[in-house]
Amino acid sequence: VSLQEKEFIKDTFGKAVDPRIRDHMLKGNFKPGGDLIMATVLFSDIRGFTSLSENLNPDQVVNLLNQYFEKMSHCITSNGGIVNKYIGDAVMAIFGAPIETDDHGQRAFDAGLQMIEARNKLNEDLKAQGLPEIHTGIGIHSGQLLSGNIGSKDRLEYTVIGDTVNLSSRIESLCKKLNHDFLISREMFELLDTRSQEQCRFKGKVKVKGKENFAQIYTVHY
């Protein structure tokens, strides 16, 4: 394989997965298994996307999603996070893995704020294109999780699993119920600097689907 072909393969691989995951795997970190680490997981999705997309043709739906994902991904990666998955209209991002960092919580918080700002700017652009505005929800939680290559012997995927991931998703799903578009957990709140904590308000203990214990939830104001 020529150098040009190798660069093409590397570049293409870097578009299928985050370039940092690509480089992590190309350094030999491709064996099945994982490690327990402390990290932060961010979930975000578009509110009412099913009903919104019913009023658009397929090309418009793809166009809207591509614009949305482009802007959200930039907010995540510019703060050191990794876009792990696109799930329909949802984004799952990881901060502090596979390369561990001490400030993963703060980075995720800053990314969330930028995502709100980018969404508002995107809505101006969508309006100019004759497309509907979008409303989003963001949920973030920090804790221990399993980080590694998971799958079959024929196909492995780098991802994170565990209760931290599940709770992050559940917190994001509370946005609609609590009528707020940015929620974080108590564990996440405790990782923030003083200025960021001042932007948060304790919402209360909330029952989360699939959990026996109540989660302590904070709303984020911007």
Side-chain angles (χ1 to χ4, degrees):
V1 180
S2 69
L3 179 61
Q4 184 176 6
E5 288 173 317
K6 287 181 179 179
E7 287 301 317
F8 174 76
I9 292 170
K10 187 175 180 181
D11 181 61
T12 303
F13 186 23
K15 292 178 180 177
V17 300
D18 187 282
R20 281 161 295 176
I21 295 177
R22 174 200 64 194
D23 295 341
H24 180 70
M25 289 181 166
L26 291 177
K27 288 178 181 178
N29 300 301
F30 205 77
K31 64 182 185 300
D35 302 296
L36 286 174
I37 63 170
M38 297 297 293
T40 297
V41 179
L42 178 154
F43 272 90
S44 179
D45 76 355
I46 300 175
R47 292 273 162 260
F49 182 73
T50 300
S51 58
L52 181 151
S53 60
E54 288 175 350
N55 297 315
L56 302 174
N57 64 49
D59 287 342
Q60 289 177 313
V61 172
V62 171
N63 178 32
L64 187 152
L65 282 177
N66 285 343
Q67 291 186 70
Y68 171 70
F69 285 140
E70 179 73 24
K71 293 185 180 297
M72 297 305 106
S73 296
H74 176 73
C75 297
I76 292 164
T77 57
S78 65
N79 283 285
I82 286 174
V83 177
N84 186 234
K85 289 184 178 73
Y86 295 122
I87 312 167
D89 62 297
V91 181
M92 173 184 166
I94 312 166
F95 295 80
I99 301 171
E100 297 183 53
T101 58
D102 293 332
D103 60 347
H104 51 85
Q106 186 66 53
R107 287 173 177 269
F109 183 85
D110 293 342
L113 289 177
Q114 290 180 23
M115 289 168 73
I116 296 293
E117 183 178 353
R119 178 206 63 191
N120 293 341
K121 175 63 171 62
L122 174 60
N123 277 333
E124 295 177 10
D125 297 338
L126 293 175
K127 184 178 180 180
Q129 297 171 45
L131 294 171
E133 292 187 354
I134 58 175
H135 304 279
T136 60
I138 297 173
I140 312 180
H141 175 54
S142 300
Q144 190 179 65
L145 47 74
L146 177 65
S147 164
N149 300 313
I150 298 169
S152 68
K153 64 179 181 179
D154 298 319
R155 187 182 187 281
L156 291 173
E157 176 187 24
Y158 174 81
T159 191
V160 292
I161 60 173
D163 189 60
T164 295
V165 180
N166 297 335
L167 187 51
S168 300
S169 177
R170 299 302 189 197
I171 290 172
E172 188 277 324
S173 68
L174 288 172
C175 288
K176 184 176 181 180
K177 178 180 178 181
L178 300 181
N179 194 29
H180 207 280
D181 52 10
F182 194 173
L183 302 174
I184 65 172
S185 66
R186 173 76 185 184
E187 291 80 0
M188 170 69 180
F189 173 82
E190 292 176 347
L191 295 178
L192 301 178
D193 60 31
T194 302
R195 182 177 180 182
S196 298
Q197 287 184 342
E198 290 174 351
Q199 293 180 258
C200 304
R201 301 290 181 273
F202 182 59
K203 184 67 176 180
K205 296 181 178 181
V206 181
K207 181 64 177 177
V208 179
K209 183 179 178 182
K211 299 285 293 181
E212 292 185 5
N213 298 326
F214 285 79
Q216 297 186 59
I217 302 298
Y218 288 74
T219 58
V220 180
H221 298 264
Y222 41 86

